[in-house]
Amino acid sequence: MDNLRYKRVLLKLSGEALAGGKGGGIDPASIEAFSREIVHVASQGLEIALVIGGGNIFRGVSESARGMDRASADYMGMLATVMNALAVQDALEKHGLDTRVLSAIDMKEVSEPYIRRRAIRHLEKGRAVICAAGTGNPYFTTDTAAALRAMELRCEAIFKATKVNGIYDKDPMTNPDAVMFKTITHMEALEKRLRVMDTTAISLAMDNKMPIMVFNLFEEGNILKVAKGEDIGTTVTGG
Ligand code: UDP
């Protein structure tokens, strides 16, 4: 058994993680890779709640910029997260992990409704809980849903999986001299507008002293390393 630092965490996967290198849509090979890791850490006793984004399929804010009503576009974005949740559920279950999809928008044929106490019960029984449809409200993001669910479900940390190694002083994709922070406070992340998560999500995490571990999802073994408390990526804490 690996020695884990956490008992229960919330793992935030953006839609991008499901698209792999393809930029959009759902790429089964990418889902397969991180699902294997999630199942491994769960088998070591980590209770995992997941919040899945939808940006690989639909992002409300971009579509409203192109003329759609923002709330309608956001509801479409939330529905996109349900599709992603079902794809991740399928992959996790193929590897033998029991899961439940809990949706913030009622969709009883494909998921359970999100009921906090029920979600906690599933986690206690060792099932991965996949939270779909974000917060259920337009004008929010799945990052905010991740912060909200992490608090409600009494998770010890948010694991924010990204395509870069951590939080940098500037965008590492376009600036080769960007420097990565090892640790940073929520307040610094807000003040410096570092865009690790949106400001609503970071504020919520800050007010409730919820640490955020930012790490690269595409490096194999990273989920386990973070779960063991290894010093990879950036830790957002305190302040
Ligand atoms: N969304 C929403 N309310 C929520 C969560 C998500 O309206 O509580 C919508 C919003 O339009 C967002 C889309 O769903 O753009 C997809 O979520 P997000 O952009 O957070 O996905 P990610 O960037 O993680 O792939």
Side-chain angles (χ1 to χ4, degrees), residues 12-16 52-56 58-62 70-71 73-81 84 133-145 160 198:
K12 164 72 209 297
L13 298 171
S14 65
E16 227 170 25
I52 317 273
N56 55 321
F58 203 86
R59 187 165 270 133
V61 69
S62 336
R70 172 71 194 265
D74 279 342
Y75 277 112
M76 290 175 69
M78 286 184 261
L79 297 182
T81 72
N84 283 340
T135 63
N137 300 292
Y139 294 95
F140 286 92
T141 64
T142 52
D143 278 350
T144 304
K160 162 86 178 167
D198 60 77

Side-chain angles (χ1 to χ4, degrees), residues 8 10 12 16 39-40 52 57 71 143 164 181 194 226 237:
R8 181 181 298 165
L10 188 131
K12 164 72 209 297
E16 227 170 25
V39 174
H40 178 67
I52 317 273
I57 300 173
D143 278 350
V164 293
F181 298 99
L194 292 174
V226 181
T237 173

Side-chain angles (χ1 to χ4, degrees), residues 40-208:
H40 178 67
V41 278
S43 74
Q44 304 299 303
L46 186 68
E47 294 177 5
I48 306 177
L50 292 111
V51 167
I52 317 273
N56 55 321
I57 300 173
F58 203 86
R59 187 165 270 133
V61 69
S62 336
E63 297 307 320
S64 69
R66 300 200 303 145
M68 262 196 89
D69 173 70
R70 172 71 194 265
S72 300
D74 279 342
Y75 277 112
M76 290 175 69
M78 286 184 261
L79 297 182
T81 72
V82 180
M83 286 203 256
N84 283 340
L86 295 180
V88 172
Q89 174 174 50
D90 179 77
L92 294 177
E93 297 217 325
K94 274 195 184 121
H95 288 285
L97 179 61
D98 274 349
T99 67
R100 294 289 185 271
V101 173
L102 271 56
S103 174
I105 293 177
D106 211 6
M107 224 181 282
K108 64 180 176 3
E109 279 76 12
V110 293
S111 67
E112 295 181 8
Y114 175 79
I115 297 169
R116 187 181 72 92
R117 282 169 175 274
R118 203 154 166 182
I120 291 174
R121 192 76 193 110
H122 288 316
L123 290 168
E124 287 168 351
K125 287 185 173 169
R127 298 173 185 141
V129 167
I130 306 170
C131 301
T135 63
N137 300 292
Y139 294 95
F140 286 92
T141 64
T142 52
D143 278 350
T144 304
L148 174 67
R149 298 297 185 230
M151 256 96 71
E152 286 188 275
L153 301 177
R154 300 194 213 105
C155 297
E156 291 154 279
I158 298 171
F159 285 12
K160 162 86 178 167
T162 69
K163 58 182 175 189
V164 293
N165 290 342
I167 305 177
Y168 292 79
D169 58 348
K170 43 191 175 250
D171 185 356
M173 292 300 202
T174 47
N175 299 282
D177 61 335
V179 178
M180 193 181 97
F181 298 99
K182 287 302 304 168
T183 58
I184 186 168
T185 64
H186 297 92
M187 186 56 94
E188 283 170 323
L190 284 173
E191 280 172 358
K192 295 187 172 49
R193 301 199 164 271
L194 292 174
R195 295 180 187 282
V196 43
M197 290 175 113
D198 60 77
T199 51
T200 314
I202 299 175
S203 309
L204 205 54
M206 178 171 75
D207 291 348
N208 294 280

